[in-house]
Each structure stands twice: as structure tokens, then as C-alpha cells.
Amino acid sequence: MVNYKELGLVNTREMFKKAMAGKYAIAAFNFNNMEQMQAIIQAAVECKSPVILQVSSGARKYANQTLLRYMAQGAVEYAKELGLNIPITLHLDHGDSFELCKSCIDMGFSSVMIDGSHLPYEENVALTKKVVEYAHQFDVTVEGELGVLAGVEDEVSAEHHTYTEPEQVEDFVKKTGVDSLAISIGTSHGANKFKPEQCTRNADGILVPPPLRFDILKEIEKRIPGFPIVLHGSSSVPQDKVAIINKYGGALKDAIGIPEEQLREAAKSAVCKINIDSDGRLAMTAAVREIFATKPAEFDPRKYLGPARDSLKELYKHKLTNVLGSANTVE
Ligand code: G3H
Ligand code: 13P
Ligand code: ZN
């Protein structure tokens, strides 16, 4: 059993407090391998920003939970070596059971998400409370979720809404003791967040998705003032990356994300954590595809993973500076 404090990691409590007061949000970037970890830490150090290293169940299966934890431990030392001791959280993304959350806590994660959003309300409360009771013994912070994010198959419409019900948040937070709450206000996972028919076209012919439900966010803020809110599914799906992927043999169709201006707006509110994974995947894929197509003789993985890592780092720097607003918040 290892406590995250021995590894130099931090939980999200102080980070979120400062983010709330400073009207910015902390980026939670998913990672599965060394290049992604390097890009996240390089970007966060250069931007003087705290950061959350996020590990999904898929990442655990792909890379092994123990290796990822050691990588996060290494990330703390790597940041110092790059010149700044930034706050780094190691967070479990979408934990689906008490056992999984416990296992992560026991091996050094400093924050976990228990995602009971698909369960009936009372079961979500009971499961989340159980995780919180365990986690708080070790000062590990817990993210819960209310409301279900729409997938691309789902209708983001009033009849089929899976938006968070503001009437439930106060009771949920009080009964479970969670430290932050993920909500559903129109974001969704992946690179195809909206169907083209859900969008309108602007004067330049570009598809504009329906806006996030800021009215629900405001209502939630009213009911739990000052409580840290989390947005999942917050990739913006940069169209220049999509175009490069498709130019060099990719087949991404109708890839539409959340406009960055709306995330910038959300970051100024009680939203303290914004999850971004898909945009990083697009940046890396675009870089790798371009190299494979333009330099077909290249076969050293460093020659394509290196540029993919650089592209990822630039994307993350842009996010921290222009979208999350967390740049220059670490002394
Ligand atoms: O919320 C999902 C994240 O993008 C992680 O995705 O489960 O494919 O690792 P993954
Ligand atoms: P995206 O797919 O929009 O990047 O969302 C990632 C996420 O929410 C991870 O939990
Ligand atoms: Zn998510």
C-alpha cells in the first residue's frame, strides 16, 4: 500500500479551490503511454500550470495500472527536472466499482472518479458514498457523476435528455460527501459529439453544434455554491487535425466537438476540471499519418512518435493557455 503523498502527487482539493477563486479550470488529460505523459508534463511546466494525469479503465488494460502509477511518480520528478514543481494529480477516470477505486487508492492514485451515473439514483448515492468513505481515510479526493453524457447515438433533445437534474445535486453532494461533481450539460465523449443534422451552418458554411446548457450549469451553481464542477467530453475536435488525418488516408466523418469559446466560458464558472482526451488522439494521429505518408522510408518509432509528442504538447499548451486559463498560476 502506497500513499500518493509519498510519491509527490497531490489531491484535487487545493487545486480546485484556487481554480474556483481564479476563475479558471484544471485540465485532466488522459494518458496511456510515455509520449503522452511527456507531452502533458512539458506543456504544464512550460505554461506554469497544475495538471491532472488521468487514467481510464482502458488505459489500465492497455498499459498496466502499476506502470502508469510509476510513470506518474516519474512525472513528478520529470517536472522538477524541467524546472518547476507543478501540482500533479493522478486520477482514475470513470471508475466503475468500489474495488477498482480501492485498488487505485491503495497503489498511489491521489484522486478517483466513481461513475455511478448509469445506476438508479439511490444506488449511485450508495456506491459513491462507499468510495468516499474509503478514499477520505487517505485524503484521496473523489469525483462523482449525476446525469449521463449523450453518445453520438443518443438524441440530445428534451425528450431523451440525460442532462443533470439540478434538483438532485444538493442531496447527492450532501449524502455522498464527494469532492467534485461531473455533470451533463451537452458535452459527450469521442470525436463525433453531434450529428450534422443537430448543427446549424454559420456564414462560412461551418457546422455549429447546439450550445452547452449554461442554464442548467447556473441552476446547479445556485444550489451548491462554490462546489467544484467537472465537465467530461470536452474535446473541441480541431478541424485542422481532422483535415490532416483525412488528407493522409484517414476516414473521420462528421467529427464535431465543443467550441473552445464555450469551454473558456465554462472555465470561468464553478467548472474546475475539464476532461480532454480525443483532441490529443487527433493531434497524435494527424502527426503520425503525415509522417507515414510524406516520409515512407522512416521506420524508427522515435521519428514519428517524437513529432506526434511535439504536436500533442503544442495542443496542450494551447488548451492550458487559451481554453482552461490555468497558465501562469504556479509560482
Ligand atoms: O472517457 C473516456 C476517455 O476518453 C478514455 O477513453 O476508455 O478509450 O481510454 P478510453
Ligand atoms: P473527450 O472524448 O471529449 O476528449 O472526453 C474525454 C473524457 O471525458 C475523459 O473522461
Ligand atoms: Zn469522461
Side-chain angles (χ1 to χ4, degrees), residues 153-179:
E153 297 82 12
D154 295 333
E155 294 277 302
V156 185
S157 69
E159 299 88 69
H160 300 94
H161 82 83
T162 45
Y163 297 124
T164 305
E165 291 177 33
E167 301 73 32
Q168 289 184 334
V169 295
E170 202 180 342
D171 185 66
F172 186 81
V173 162
K174 208 181 279 173
K175 281 190 179 150
T176 59
V178 274
D179 302 281

mmCIF file of all heavy atoms in Angstrom, residues 153-179:
data_model
loop_
_atom_site.group_PDB
_atom_site.id
_atom_site.type_symbol
_atom_site.label_atom_id
_atom_site.label_comp_id
_atom_site.label_asym_id
_atom_site.label_seq_id
_atom_site.Cartn_x
_atom_site.Cartn_y
_atom_site.Cartn_z
ATOM 1 N N GLU A 153 -25.006 8.264 -30.623
ATOM 2 C CA GLU A 153 -26.266 7.592 -30.985
ATOM 3 C C GLU A 153 -27.460 8.217 -30.265
ATOM 4 O O GLU A 153 -28.587 8.046 -30.674
ATOM 5 C CB GLU A 153 -26.229 6.093 -30.605
ATOM 6 C CG GLU A 153 -25.189 5.259 -31.301
ATOM 7 C CD GLU A 153 -23.826 5.391 -30.644
ATOM 8 O OE1 GLU A 153 -23.740 5.940 -29.529
ATOM 9 O OE2 GLU A 153 -22.850 4.956 -31.261
ATOM 10 N N ASP A 154 -27.160 8.852 -29.159
ATOM 11 C CA ASP A 154 -28.276 9.400 -28.376
ATOM 12 C C ASP A 154 -28.779 10.707 -28.957
ATOM 13 O O ASP A 154 -28.039 11.448 -29.588
ATOM 14 C CB ASP A 154 -27.830 9.653 -26.929
ATOM 15 C CG ASP A 154 -27.475 8.354 -26.232
ATOM 16 O OD1 ASP A 154 -28.026 7.325 -26.640
ATOM 17 O OD2 ASP A 154 -26.640 8.402 -25.332
ATOM 18 N N GLU A 155 -30.029 10.962 -28.703
ATOM 19 C CA GLU A 155 -30.607 12.236 -29.113
ATOM 20 C C GLU A 155 -30.320 13.256 -28.017
ATOM 21 O O GLU A 155 -30.665 13.032 -26.863
ATOM 22 C CB GLU A 155 -32.127 12.107 -29.226
ATOM 23 C CG GLU A 155 -32.591 11.189 -30.324
ATOM 24 C CD GLU A 155 -32.620 11.902 -31.659
ATOM 25 O OE1 GLU A 155 -33.315 12.922 -31.761
ATOM 26 O OE2 GLU A 155 -31.910 11.452 -32.582
ATOM 27 N N VAL A 156 -29.662 14.345 -28.385
ATOM 28 C CA VAL A 156 -29.505 15.405 -27.387
ATOM 29 C C VAL A 156 -30.745 16.278 -27.518
ATOM 30 O O VAL A 156 -30.725 17.329 -28.125
ATOM 31 C CB VAL A 156 -28.220 16.230 -27.617
ATOM 32 C CG1 VAL A 156 -28.008 17.239 -26.495
ATOM 33 C CG2 VAL A 156 -27.027 15.308 -27.704
ATOM 34 N N SER A 157 -31.830 15.792 -27.011
ATOM 35 C CA SER A 157 -33.083 16.520 -27.170
ATOM 36 C C SER A 157 -33.847 16.491 -25.856
ATOM 37 O O SER A 157 -33.533 15.719 -24.955
ATOM 38 C CB SER A 157 -33.930 15.871 -28.268
ATOM 39 O OG SER A 157 -34.372 14.615 -27.800
ATOM 40 N N ALA A 158 -34.845 17.327 -25.752
ATOM 41 C CA ALA A 158 -35.589 17.451 -24.495
ATOM 42 C C ALA A 158 -36.214 16.107 -24.093
ATOM 43 O O ALA A 158 -36.119 15.706 -22.947
ATOM 44 C CB ALA A 158 -36.660 18.516 -24.635
ATOM 45 N N GLU A 159 -36.808 15.397 -25.059
ATOM 46 C CA GLU A 159 -37.478 14.125 -24.726
ATOM 47 C C GLU A 159 -36.496 13.101 -24.175
ATOM 48 O O GLU A 159 -36.803 12.349 -23.269
ATOM 49 C CB GLU A 159 -38.155 13.502 -25.963
ATOM 50 C CG GLU A 159 -39.238 14.352 -26.583
ATOM 51 C CD GLU A 159 -38.627 15.287 -27.598
ATOM 52 O OE1 GLU A 159 -38.157 14.821 -28.644
ATOM 53 O OE2 GLU A 159 -38.596 16.503 -27.312
ATOM 54 N N HIS A 160 -35.321 13.035 -24.795
ATOM 55 C CA HIS A 160 -34.378 11.990 -24.384
ATOM 56 C C HIS A 160 -33.254 12.542 -23.515
ATOM 57 O O HIS A 160 -32.207 11.957 -23.444
ATOM 58 C CB HIS A 160 -33.755 11.340 -25.629
ATOM 59 C CG HIS A 160 -34.776 10.710 -26.513
ATOM 60 N ND1 HIS A 160 -35.333 11.373 -27.570
ATOM 61 C CD2 HIS A 160 -35.353 9.490 -26.469
ATOM 62 C CE1 HIS A 160 -36.213 10.580 -28.162
ATOM 63 N NE2 HIS A 160 -36.241 9.441 -27.511
ATOM 64 N N HIS A 161 -33.494 13.670 -22.904
ATOM 65 C CA HIS A 161 -32.373 14.298 -22.205
ATOM 66 C C HIS A 161 -31.838 13.421 -21.088
ATOM 67 O O HIS A 161 -32.582 12.689 -20.425
ATOM 68 C CB HIS A 161 -32.758 15.680 -21.671
ATOM 69 C CG HIS A 161 -33.497 15.640 -20.375
ATOM 70 N ND1 HIS A 161 -32.854 15.531 -19.171
ATOM 71 C CD2 HIS A 161 -34.807 15.673 -20.091
ATOM 72 C CE1 HIS A 161 -33.736 15.511 -18.203
ATOM 73 N NE2 HIS A 161 -34.936 15.589 -18.744
ATOM 74 N N THR A 162 -30.544 13.506 -20.954
ATOM 75 C CA THR A 162 -29.876 12.824 -19.861
ATOM 76 C C THR A 162 -29.087 13.884 -19.093
ATOM 77 O O THR A 162 -28.082 13.589 -18.469
ATOM 78 C CB THR A 162 -28.931 11.737 -20.406
ATOM 79 O OG1 THR A 162 -28.190 12.292 -21.488
ATOM 80 C CG2 THR A 162 -29.702 10.532 -20.882
ATOM 81 N N TYR A 163 -29.544 15.142 -19.238
ATOM 82 C CA TYR A 163 -28.875 16.229 -18.532
ATOM 83 C C TYR A 163 -28.999 16.024 -17.024
ATOM 84 O O TYR A 163 -29.945 15.383 -16.546
ATOM 85 C CB TYR A 163 -29.526 17.581 -18.882
ATOM 86 C CG TYR A 163 -29.418 17.948 -20.337
ATOM 87 C CD1 TYR A 163 -30.557 18.228 -21.082
ATOM 88 C CD2 TYR A 163 -28.180 18.016 -20.967
ATOM 89 C CE1 TYR A 163 -30.463 18.573 -22.419
ATOM 90 C CE2 TYR A 163 -28.083 18.350 -22.304
ATOM 91 C CZ TYR A 163 -29.226 18.624 -23.026
ATOM 92 O OH TYR A 163 -29.136 18.942 -24.341
ATOM 93 N N THR A 164 -28.042 16.583 -16.302
ATOM 94 C CA THR A 164 -28.101 16.543 -14.842
ATOM 95 C C THR A 164 -29.350 17.299 -14.380
ATOM 96 O O THR A 164 -29.641 18.377 -14.889
ATOM 97 C CB THR A 164 -26.837 17.202 -14.259
ATOM 98 O OG1 THR A 164 -25.700 16.543 -14.827
ATOM 99 C CG2 THR A 164 -26.805 17.086 -12.743
ATOM 100 N N GLU A 165 -30.037 16.714 -13.412
ATOM 101 C CA GLU A 165 -31.213 17.407 -12.859
ATOM 102 C C GLU A 165 -30.756 18.248 -11.672
ATOM 103 O O GLU A 165 -30.333 17.689 -10.645
ATOM 104 C CB GLU A 165 -32.262 16.391 -12.404
ATOM 105 C CG GLU A 165 -32.909 15.661 -13.571
ATOM 106 C CD GLU A 165 -33.883 14.601 -13.111
ATOM 107 O OE1 GLU A 165 -34.534 14.785 -12.067
ATOM 108 O OE2 GLU A 165 -33.956 13.569 -13.802
ATOM 109 N N PRO A 166 -30.817 19.579 -11.788
ATOM 110 C CA PRO A 166 -30.322 20.431 -10.711
ATOM 111 C C PRO A 166 -30.963 20.124 -9.362
ATOM 112 O O PRO A 166 -30.334 20.287 -8.314
ATOM 113 C CB PRO A 166 -30.686 21.846 -11.181
ATOM 114 C CG PRO A 166 -30.794 21.742 -12.658
ATOM 115 C CD PRO A 166 -31.314 20.368 -12.942
ATOM 116 N N GLU A 167 -32.200 19.626 -9.387
ATOM 117 C CA GLU A 167 -32.914 19.310 -8.128
ATOM 118 C C GLU A 167 -32.193 18.224 -7.331
ATOM 119 O O GLU A 167 -32.397 18.114 -6.125
ATOM 120 C CB GLU A 167 -34.339 18.797 -8.419
ATOM 121 C CG GLU A 167 -35.243 19.747 -9.193
ATOM 122 C CD GLU A 167 -34.872 19.878 -10.662
ATOM 123 O OE1 GLU A 167 -34.383 18.875 -11.250
ATOM 124 O OE2 GLU A 167 -35.014 20.975 -11.222
ATOM 125 N N GLN A 168 -31.363 17.423 -7.987
ATOM 126 C CA GLN A 168 -30.720 16.295 -7.284
ATOM 127 C C GLN A 168 -29.355 16.631 -6.689
ATOM 128 O O GLN A 168 -28.868 15.911 -5.821
ATOM 129 C CB GLN A 168 -30.527 15.120 -8.262
ATOM 130 C CG GLN A 168 -31.812 14.426 -8.667
ATOM 131 C CD GLN A 168 -31.544 13.209 -9.556
ATOM 132 O OE1 GLN A 168 -30.520 13.154 -10.238
ATOM 133 N NE2 GLN A 168 -32.448 12.262 -9.551
ATOM 134 N N VAL A 169 -28.726 17.698 -7.177
ATOM 135 C CA VAL A 169 -27.298 17.868 -6.846
ATOM 136 C C VAL A 169 -27.021 18.103 -5.359
ATOM 137 O O VAL A 169 -26.059 17.557 -4.805
ATOM 138 C CB VAL A 169 -26.615 18.993 -7.690
ATOM 139 C CG1 VAL A 169 -26.589 18.628 -9.154
ATOM 140 C CG2 VAL A 169 -27.251 20.343 -7.460
ATOM 141 N N GLU A 170 -27.875 18.895 -4.721
ATOM 142 C CA GLU A 170 -27.627 19.223 -3.320
ATOM 143 C C GLU A 170 -27.703 17.959 -2.453
ATOM 144 O O GLU A 170 -26.832 17.707 -1.621
ATOM 145 C CB GLU A 170 -28.655 20.245 -2.856
ATOM 146 C CG GLU A 170 -28.192 21.031 -1.662
ATOM 147 C CD GLU A 170 -29.228 22.035 -1.219
ATOM 148 O OE1 GLU A 170 -30.145 22.368 -2.012
ATOM 149 O OE2 GLU A 170 -29.127 22.476 -0.059
ATOM 150 N N ASP A 171 -28.751 17.183 -2.693
ATOM 151 C CA ASP A 171 -28.952 15.947 -1.954
ATOM 152 C C ASP A 171 -27.784 14.981 -2.198
ATOM 153 O O ASP A 171 -27.245 14.375 -1.264
ATOM 154 C CB ASP A 171 -30.278 15.314 -2.429
ATOM 155 C CG ASP A 171 -30.629 14.080 -1.629
ATOM 156 O OD1 ASP A 171 -30.906 14.222 -0.425
ATOM 157 O OD2 ASP A 171 -30.599 12.967 -2.203
ATOM 158 N N PHE A 172 -27.352 14.882 -3.470
ATOM 159 C CA PHE A 172 -26.270 13.955 -3.836
ATOM 160 C C PHE A 172 -24.962 14.332 -3.134
ATOM 161 O O PHE A 172 -24.280 13.489 -2.539
ATOM 162 C CB PHE A 172 -26.088 13.944 -5.357
ATOM 163 C CG PHE A 172 -25.105 12.919 -5.851
ATOM 164 C CD1 PHE A 172 -25.476 11.585 -6.008
ATOM 165 C CD2 PHE A 172 -23.791 13.272 -6.162
ATOM 166 C CE1 PHE A 172 -24.567 10.625 -6.458
ATOM 167 C CE2 PHE A 172 -22.877 12.326 -6.614
ATOM 168 C CZ PHE A 172 -23.273 10.995 -6.762
ATOM 169 N N VAL A 173 -24.650 15.601 -3.204
ATOM 170 C CA VAL A 173 -23.388 16.074 -2.615
ATOM 171 C C VAL A 173 -23.415 15.888 -1.093
ATOM 172 O O VAL A 173 -22.436 15.445 -0.482
ATOM 173 C CB VAL A 173 -23.164 17.558 -3.015
ATOM 174 C CG1 VAL A 173 -22.154 18.240 -2.132
ATOM 175 C CG2 VAL A 173 -22.753 17.643 -4.479
ATOM 176 N N LYS A 174 -24.553 16.204 -0.494
ATOM 177 C CA LYS A 174 -24.684 16.082 0.958
ATOM 178 C C LYS A 174 -24.601 14.615 1.401
ATOM 179 O O LYS A 174 -23.875 14.271 2.319
ATOM 180 C CB LYS A 174 -26.038 16.673 1.380
ATOM 181 C CG LYS A 174 -26.020 17.232 2.800
ATOM 182 C CD LYS A 174 -27.372 17.784 3.203
ATOM 183 C CE LYS A 174 -27.598 19.189 2.655
ATOM 184 N NZ LYS A 174 -28.973 19.668 2.891
ATOM 185 N N LYS A 175 -25.334 13.747 0.702
ATOM 186 C CA LYS A 175 -25.387 12.342 1.124
ATOM 187 C C LYS A 175 -24.085 11.583 0.863
ATOM 188 O O LYS A 175 -23.746 10.663 1.587
ATOM 189 C CB LYS A 175 -26.528 11.614 0.397
ATOM 190 C CG LYS A 175 -27.884 11.898 1.001
ATOM 191 C CD LYS A 175 -28.933 10.985 0.404
ATOM 192 C CE LYS A 175 -30.294 11.256 1.018
ATOM 193 N NZ LYS A 175 -31.382 10.972 0.075
ATOM 194 N N THR A 176 -23.385 11.938 -0.222
ATOM 195 C CA THR A 176 -22.198 11.154 -0.585
ATOM 196 C C THR A 176 -20.895 11.704 -0.008
ATOM 197 O O THR A 176 -19.946 10.963 0.201
ATOM 198 C CB THR A 176 -22.014 11.117 -2.124
ATOM 199 O OG1 THR A 176 -21.875 12.464 -2.591
ATOM 200 C CG2 THR A 176 -23.190 10.450 -2.809
ATOM 201 N N GLY A 177 -20.833 13.022 0.178
ATOM 202 C CA GLY A 177 -19.589 13.651 0.638
ATOM 203 C C GLY A 177 -18.535 13.787 -0.455
ATOM 204 O O GLY A 177 -17.342 13.982 -0.167
ATOM 205 N N VAL A 178 -18.949 13.698 -1.731
ATOM 206 C CA VAL A 178 -17.973 13.826 -2.831
ATOM 207 C C VAL A 178 -17.284 15.188 -2.814
ATOM 208 O O VAL A 178 -17.807 16.164 -2.282
ATOM 209 C CB VAL A 178 -18.593 13.665 -4.251
ATOM 210 C CG1 VAL A 178 -18.678 12.225 -4.677
ATOM 211 C CG2 VAL A 178 -19.876 14.422 -4.390
ATOM 212 N N ASP A 179 -16.124 15.236 -3.451
ATOM 213 C CA ASP A 179 -15.338 16.483 -3.503
ATOM 214 C C ASP A 179 -15.611 17.279 -4.759
ATOM 215 O O ASP A 179 -15.305 18.472 -4.837
ATOM 216 C CB ASP A 179 -13.848 16.134 -3.432
ATOM 217 C CG ASP A 179 -13.524 15.354 -2.177
ATOM 218 O OD1 ASP A 179 -13.411 15.992 -1.116
ATOM 219 O OD2 ASP A 179 -13.420 14.107 -2.245
#
